[in-house]
Amino acid sequence: MNDLRVFGEQLRTLLSGLLGFGDPGAPERNSRLIHQIFEWYNQGDLDSIVESVTDDFELHDVPAGQIYRGPDGLRRWFSISKTALPEARLFITNLIADGEKVASEHAGGGLQTGPLEVPGGTVPPTNRLVKAEVAETFEFRDGRIFRWRVYYDGAALAAQLLGPEAGGSSAPAGGPATAPPTSGTTGSSAGAAASRPAPGGASARD
């Protein structure tokens, strides 16, 4: 019975592609994967996350002006924030799927109890709570993500970790829930921990 169901899904996908209608099951399937990625992040399962992207994958951390390529690049992006905010949690607050594209909003938070690596050096643990709201877009190919773009307020993250005087600093390196960089450095993604804190501080999740 399961084999018949799988065959039916494969046939539907093939016919949809040939007729130019796209895969009608893609939005639901892709949405499930995004929700699952947030669950994996909260569980600290980076191995499963990196398996969900293509070999030519690119993550654009827009505020930080950095691009992370391939599964190893994605692991790197998430690892920076997980090291700085090991207990960070992320929660999806909104998600829209259309064809092979998904857009999401999430909130997250965590305490920066570990060192935060930034392009110019390392920010030592501050034990401060980081919270953030993040918007992301995902593009899929053959069931896996090949392009991921992240948007967040890097100045707000820097101010939370280093104080109001740091509000003009660049975005932190490391993903949604990351801490801000030291003065004069260019941050990478506040994408994994700070933007997700509360997947980035306190606790947050999808």
Side-chain angles (χ1 to χ4, degrees), residues 6-21:
V6 171
F7 174 74
E9 291 178 350
Q10 293 175 338
L11 180 60
R12 181 181 61 179
T13 299
L14 175 61
L15 291 176
S16 297
L18 291 175
L19 296 175
F21 298 138

Side-chain angles (χ1 to χ4, degrees), residues 116-173:
L116 173 64
E117 182 182 336
V118 296
T122 301
V123 177
T126 63
N127 292 312
R128 293 189 179 185
L129 174 63
V130 180
K131 294 182 179 180
E133 294 182 352
V134 181
E136 297 177 316
T137 62
F138 308 85
E139 294 182 55
F140 287 76
R141 182 201 304 135
D142 299 327
R144 293 197 293 169
I145 302 168
F146 73 90
R147 184 170 294 114
W148 183 335
R149 297 177 69 86
V150 184
Y151 305 84
Y152 56 89
D153 188 340
L157 292 177
Q160 290 182 61
L161 283 168
L162 303 181
E165 68 281 0
S169 299
S170 304

Side-chain angles (χ1 to χ4, degrees), residues 65-186:
Q66 297 198 13
I67 298 176
Y68 294 78
R69 294 184 170 86
D72 289 341
L74 181 60
R75 182 188 297 277
R76 170 73 174 155
W77 187 69
F78 276 117
S79 294
I80 292 173
S81 66
K82 270 300 188 183
T83 298
L85 301 93
E87 301 303 320
R89 296 292 182 273
L90 307 177
F91 304 85
I92 291 177
T93 57
N94 191 22
L95 186 148
I96 300 173
D98 182 15
E100 296 293 349
K101 297 181 179 181
V102 175
S104 73
E105 296 176 322
H106 68 260
L111 293 175
Q112 192 218 346
T113 58
L116 173 64
E117 182 182 336
V118 296
T122 301
V123 177
T126 63
N127 292 312
R128 293 189 179 185
L129 174 63
V130 180
K131 294 182 179 180
E133 294 182 352
V134 181
E136 297 177 316
T137 62
F138 308 85
E139 294 182 55
F140 287 76
R141 182 201 304 135
D142 299 327
R144 293 197 293 169
I145 302 168
F146 73 90
R147 184 170 294 114
W148 183 335
R149 297 177 69 86
V150 184
Y151 305 84
Y152 56 89
D153 188 340
L157 292 177
Q160 290 182 61
L161 283 168
L162 303 181
E165 68 281 0
S169 299
S170 304
T178 75
T182 54
S183 175
T185 66
T186 300

Side-chain angles (χ1 to χ4, degrees), residues 16-101:
S16 297
L18 291 175
L19 296 175
F21 298 138
D23 180 1
E28 181 179 353
R29 182 176 61 251
N30 295 340
S31 296
R32 283 199 305 267
L33 179 57
I34 298 306
H35 279 281
Q36 184 64 67
I37 285 175
F38 278 74
E39 291 181 14
W40 285 327
Y41 178 87
N42 292 333
Q43 296 165 4
D45 186 359
L46 301 188
D47 289 338
S48 293
I49 294 178
V50 300
E51 289 177 2
S52 67
V53 304
T54 62
D55 291 339
D56 62 345
F57 168 81
E58 288 188 350
L59 183 147
H60 294 242
D61 186 329
V62 178
Q66 297 198 13
I67 298 176
Y68 294 78
R69 294 184 170 86
D72 289 341
L74 181 60
R75 182 188 297 277
R76 170 73 174 155
W77 187 69
F78 276 117
S79 294
I80 292 173
S81 66
K82 270 300 188 183
T83 298
L85 301 93
E87 301 303 320
R89 296 292 182 273
L90 307 177
F91 304 85
I92 291 177
T93 57
N94 191 22
L95 186 148
I96 300 173
D98 182 15
E100 296 293 349
K101 297 181 179 181

